[in-house]
Amino acid sequence: MDSPWSDLDRPPLRVLPLRRALLGPGGWSALDVVAGTGSTNADLLAREDAPDGSVLVADHQDAGRGRLGRTWSAPPRSGLAVSVLLRPSRPVADWPLLPLVAGTAVVDALTALGVQARLKWPNDVLLEGPDRPGKVAGVLAEVRGDRVVLGTGINVSLRADELPVDTATSLALAGARSTDRDTVLRRYLRALRTRVDAWAAGEPVLPAYRAVSATIGAQVRAHLPDGSALEGRAVDVEDDGRLVVEDSGGARRRLAAADVVHLRRR
């Protein structure tokens, strides 16, 4: 069946206005928009000479990747696929906090658009409330040498029948104030610049992250990399980004990596 969306409903991103708004002192160093690609993360990682603060955005991404090797796709121009390249001066041991920084920036941007956004550890962005709750965005960080690429995908104008899974949602379905992708991109990249600069200056990341966490206080099932699962209550996210889960016997376990399912909130 043909999509009811026309090119006017889902226009391409406007490169020159975006560059004028986002590049320069206090902003990003470079911004490129491509009509389509397999993965903005892979493309940006391949640019070995790309400067710190480079941004790559795709109108359509057909081989997007998430955590644990998951793939996802969406109709052209229905969402945002954006990657930024950083060359951090902070120690490598601090880099695992960057996905949390990016997730918090997504929440900043979406809150400004009038939707109730929260974070599921470590880097899924959920919309709450009565209007189509579900996952609206995700962040994937990849490291190569002295570079970190933060890739973010945001569902913007997807209809219910276009969602990849029934637990997903979009800004349009949640009644956001704007589903103009230029507007969403500008809000996100400005929020991310502010959050990354604060992290680079040594400001604490976790207070802001904890404040918008949907995981802390929830009963969870954590599927671990070794194939086992742990159920309990998520009680904290520590300063190094690890999730702390307390089981029914009161024992606490710190998780660096897991696929977390929310069972219920306390």
Side-chain angles (χ1 to χ4, degrees), residues 2 6 13 91 105 110 113 130 140 145 161 168 192 210 238 252 266:
D2 293 336
S6 69
L13 292 164
L110 300 193
L113 293 171
L140 177 66
D161 62 351
L192 182 62
R210 292 184 183 109
E238 296 191 334
R252 294 190 172 190
R266 186 165 181 171

Side-chain angles (χ1 to χ4, degrees), residues 39 41-42 45 65 140-144 147-151:
S39 165
N41 265 25
L45 281 169
R65 292 168 294 137
L140 177 66
E142 297 184 85
V143 176
R144 185 170 299 173
R147 294 167 288 152
V148 181
V149 167
L150 296 173

